[in-house]
Amino acid sequence: MDIIELQSAVRSVVMGKDTQEEHRIACTRYEDGRVRLRNPHIELMDQDILYHLALGSGSHDLVEMFGDVKFVCMGGTPKRMEQFADYIMGEIGHKLPTGTRLQDISHYSYRYSMYKVGPVLSISHGMGLPSVAILLHEVIKLMYHAKVRDPIFFRMGTSGGIGLEGGTVVISEQAVDGLMRSFYEIPVLGKLVQRPAVLDKKLVRELKALHHADDPYDTITGKTLCTSDFYEGQGRLDGAFCEFSETDKMQFLEKLHKSGVINMEMESLAFAALTHHAGIRSAVICATIVDRLKGDQIQTPKEVLDEWQERPQKLISRYIKKYLQTKGRFMDSYCGSPCVKSPRRFKLVQQESENYD
């Protein structure tokens, strides 16, 4: 055990849980609520290029562009997040200047799409743990450079239900991996690093309370299994490879069900771990599109699936509207045109983003 680990262990013994949490937040927040990066090297850099967003701290005025952001909403595909941007614009009454339209701020990156609607960022995160982790590193840095205060992150998407009918909305209380461990494990410099995958419990309660009695579907909370793969990792029988039986699969799913796991997807573990490590409140809300206890393949008509996928958006929208109404923040603001500080650096960032693999 090195000196830093020893100091941390001693502090954990001396402090109570509440004090430990206050200390953790203090390490990731400035007094005014701005995000504090856990990376001393960033401040020493001439400029920080966010390669996969096609933005840079020296090329763009990130404070002007993103300083009013409060909510960062993420989902898998560019199309879904463009649709959410359109939807939330109507819900919060945001108006674009005459003759303009929503712009994909990160279109030069060709990887992720990002739209801004007032205090809401709508960003695609791709599919799987590596994709969402890469994006989160850069979005958390974006929050830092833009001096955003106390942001709230949401992941919305679809999932396989375990004992749930299709169309059920699940708010994740906890994310676990395929071994039922509640941490995100990655090798760093040849050593395995484990980061706790923690979602904000208060946010879970607040979202659950926004379910309407007349909603034609259930909204429930529970554990979410996050896998690193869609087929074998989720116990499917229809992948290119399958070296287990139907009985093996059902025993696995029943075990998950008994342990409180109610759905499975492929991003929540990294999402929960990295937002928690950054001191950012976050929540995962997914609609189930198949009950895995009844089958593997999705046979629901597309128009029904489209409606199910809108349900997490509606819940997140209710939260955002309630917050903005409480704070009196329904207003027009920056909507996506680049605020370029340095044309030369802007061109450099564009080229770097296009070429970076």
Side-chain angles (χ1 to χ4, degrees):
M1 178 179 291
D2 62 27
I3 187 64
I4 295 176
E5 291 173 328
L6 179 61
Q7 290 172 342
S8 178
V10 171
R11 185 165 57 244
S12 296
V13 172
V14 175
M15 293 180 178
K17 285 187 177 180
D18 291 342
T19 307
Q20 289 179 41
E21 181 64 10
E22 289 173 4
H23 176 78
R24 186 190 68 79
I25 292 174
C27 291
T28 57
R29 281 286 185 277
Y30 291 103
E31 289 186 1
D32 62 359
R34 287 179 294 127
V35 173
R36 183 201 298 264
L37 293 183
R38 303 175 76 152
N39 180 356
H41 305 290
I42 299 295
E43 293 184 5
L44 304 177
M45 296 168 61
D46 176 49
Q47 86 156 326
D48 183 15
I49 298 178
L50 309 179
Y51 297 103
H52 305 91
L53 296 177
L55 296 169
S57 63
S59 56
H60 296 77
D61 189 339
L62 298 179
V63 175
E64 175 67 21
M65 293 173 69
F66 301 102
D68 65 330
V69 167
K70 180 65 182 179
F71 304 100
V72 177
C73 302
M74 299 182 180
T77 68
K79 187 64 177 177
R80 181 184 300 166
M81 299 320 294
E82 182 181 10
Q83 290 171 343
F84 176 73
D86 277 321
Y87 173 71
I88 198 67
M89 181 161 54
E91 290 294 295
I92 67 174
H94 183 83
K95 298 185 184 302
L96 298 176
T98 301
T100 65
R101 60 183 177 82
L102 276 175
Q103 177 181 348
D104 179 359
I105 302 169
S106 296
H107 69 280
Y108 286 120
S109 78
Y110 305 107
R111 294 170 181 84
Y112 304 107
S113 291
M114 176 164 61
Y115 300 89
K116 185 174 185 299
V117 178
V120 181
L121 274 186
S122 180
I123 314 175
S124 66
H125 59 53
M127 183 166 57
L129 290 166
S131 184
V132 73
I134 292 167
L135 176 66
L136 280 167
H137 271 274
E138 297 192 11
V139 174
I140 290 167
K141 290 198 296 176
L142 177 60
M143 298 295 99
Y144 163 77
H145 291 304
K147 304 185 187 302
V148 171
R149 299 182 183 184
D150 301 312
I152 297 173
F153 281 33
F154 294 111
R155 163 169 146 65
M156 65 183 77
T158 58
S159 63
I162 303 178
L164 299 178
E165 292 298 322
T168 303
V169 173
V170 175
I171 306 168
S172 302
E173 292 180 332
Q174 183 182 29
V176 297
D177 69 6
L179 300 176
M180 295 299 292
R181 303 176 302 176
S182 189
F183 53 78
Y184 177 50
E185 186 175 72
I186 52 171
V188 178
L189 301 182
K191 297 180 181 179
L192 283 177
V193 173
Q194 297 176 346
R195 296 206 172 120
V198 180
L199 296 163
D200 191 90
K201 293 181 179 179
K202 181 181 178 184
L203 196 51
V204 170
R205 293 193 300 269
E206 291 171 339
L207 287 164
K208 180 69 167 65
L210 292 172
H211 173 76
H212 293 171
D214 58 353
D215 286 338
Y217 51 87
D218 292 328
T219 298
I220 63 175
T221 63
K223 292 181 185 178
T224 295
L225 175 71
C226 180
T227 68
S228 57
D229 139 80
F230 184 78
Y231 288 100
E232 292 178 285
Q234 295 190 7
R236 278 187 160 84
L237 302 176
D238 58 350
F241 313 105
C242 182
E243 298 172 357
F244 48 84
S245 67
E246 171 80 21
T247 300
D248 295 333
K249 170 193 132 177
M250 293 308 298
Q251 288 176 346
F252 171 67
L253 294 177
E254 292 289 353
K255 181 180 177 181
L256 291 176
H257 193 234
K258 290 178 181 178
S259 69
V261 173
I262 59 177
N263 68 330
M264 60 173 68
E265 44 85 273
M266 295 186 291
E267 291 85 21
S268 60
L269 201 67
F271 181 85
L274 296 186
T275 52
H276 177 69
H277 201 57
I280 292 172
R281 299 179 68 202
S282 68
V284 176
I285 307 97
C286 291
T288 60
I289 56 176
V290 63
D291 182 355
R292 289 299 313 289
L293 295 179
K294 297 179 179 178
D296 293 342
Q297 297 205 338
I298 300 163
Q299 299 177 338
T300 305
K302 184 180 184 303
E303 59 272 16
V304 176
L305 287 174
D306 288 344
E307 193 277 321
W308 287 355
Q309 291 180 33
E310 293 173 358
R311 293 175 180 181
Q313 298 182 17
K314 292 178 180 178
L315 190 62
I316 292 170
S317 171
R318 290 171 188 172
Y319 184 93
I320 292 173
K321 285 196 295 182
K322 182 177 180 181
Y323 179 91
L324 295 179
Q325 288 166 348
T326 301
K327 302 296 182 179
R329 285 187 60 182
F330 272 68
M331 62 184 72
D332 293 342
S333 57
Y334 173 80
C335 58
S337 297
C339 295
V340 177
K341 290 198 298 186
S342 166
R344 180 183 65 82
R345 288 189 169 186
F346 174 73
K347 188 65 177 177
L348 172 65
V349 168
Q350 180 181 334
Q351 292 171 344
E352 289 284 345
S353 294
E354 290 174 343
N355 296 330
Y356 199 83
D357 291 323

